[in-house]
Amino acid sequence: MAFTLPALPYAFNALEPHVDARTMEIHHTKHHAAYVNNLNAALQDTEHEGKSLEDLFAIISQLPPAVRNNGGGHWNHSMFWEIMAPNAGGEPTDALAAQINKNFGSLDEMKKLFAQAGATRFGSGWAWLCKDENGELFITSTPNQDNPLMDLADKKGQPILGLDVWEHAYYLHYQNRRPDYISAWWNVVNWAEVARRFGK
Ligand code: MN
């Protein structure tokens, strides 16, 4: 079963003014679609066709770069659309809020460290809030379309929140102002979905 592009769970303009409609449209229908198509092409007629992304990530260092780049691109964007929502933002509650306070001292401190991870990732990549094997939270960043599920990640864990800091995610509206994009992006974070992923 080939991988397919998931439908965006809201309209292209639903995250305005923080993420503009044109960026969302190009990001979903061009960039993400290309990762899906290129991933399927890279896996076709190989022994790895039909495996889950998680199974591929566990051995990604042994697989061709096209699987790493496009498999990561597909997983990362599929998560990205879900952890954003219209009329979102605000603050996490309950167990997730308590865990953030335990590991970072406060929500503001976590957001500061996460924003730093995104702002200082040189070139293209992602910032992540992850859960480790003991249920503790940590922040990391990865280059290109890598993610913390991959066997070659500096720090491995289960991502529960991820931010795309590729220029294609913000350049039309924010140009070179990546930190402005990151601060505006908190207004569209879907904490209910982040909490669901934290609870899994
Ligand atoms: Mn992207």
Side-chain angles (χ1 to χ4, degrees):
M1 179 68 184
F3 292 103
T4 55
L5 180 67
L8 200 64
Y10 35 75
F12 293 130
N13 66 358
L15 305 182
E16 293 212 356
H18 311 295
V19 186
D20 66 282
R22 184 76 176 132
T23 294
M24 287 298 295
E25 181 175 2
I26 296 171
H27 205 171
H28 181 257
T29 67
K30 305 295 185 194
H31 291 278
H32 190 172
Y35 297 129
V36 172
N37 293 337
N38 293 335
L39 175 64
N40 287 330
L43 293 171
Q44 191 168 11
D45 302 326
T46 74
E47 60 179 309
H48 303 296
E49 193 172 13
K51 286 186 179 167
S52 72
L53 288 172
E54 288 76 8
D55 286 347
L56 295 171
F57 294 160
I59 54 165
I60 205 76
S61 57
Q62 305 164 45
L63 300 180
V67 177
R68 174 178 173 180
N69 294 331
N70 295 292
H74 179 35
W75 193 96
N76 297 350
H77 288 84
S78 298
M79 174 197 207
F80 191 51
W81 312 134
E82 292 185 359
I83 54 88
M84 299 189 290
N87 308 310
E91 298 187 356
T93 56
D94 304 323
L96 175 58
Q99 192 67 44
I100 288 173
N101 287 334
K102 179 187 174 198
N103 292 134
F104 303 101
S106 68
L107 177 65
D108 281 350
E109 185 63 16
M110 188 283 286
K111 287 165 81 168
K112 190 179 96 182
L113 295 170
F114 185 94
Q116 274 173 5
T120 59
R121 165 51 58 188
F122 185 78
S124 299
W126 291 75
W128 304 101
L129 177 65
C130 298
K131 189 167 83 163
D132 72 14
E133 64 273 18
N134 300 315
E136 308 292 343
L137 297 176
F138 66 93
I139 286 165
T140 189
S141 76
T142 53
N144 304 312
Q145 295 297 353
D146 288 358
N147 67 47
L149 296 170
M150 293 181 173
D151 65 351
L152 42 68
D154 288 340
K155 197 156 183 209
K156 285 188 275 299
Q158 182 67 43
I160 64 168
L161 177 69
L163 172 61
D164 188 344
V165 296
W166 283 57
E167 282 189 347
H168 69 224
Y170 64 87
Y171 204 86
L172 287 181
H173 187 71
Y174 295 94
Q175 291 82 50
N176 61 319
R177 304 187 308 277
R178 188 190 286 185
D180 291 357
Y181 156 67
I182 297 174
S183 20
W185 178 77
W186 293 113
N187 293 300
V188 298
V189 168
N190 179 2
W191 287 111
E193 173 61 17
V194 180
R196 189 188 70 78
R197 289 170 180 264
F198 172 69
K200 278 207 295 192

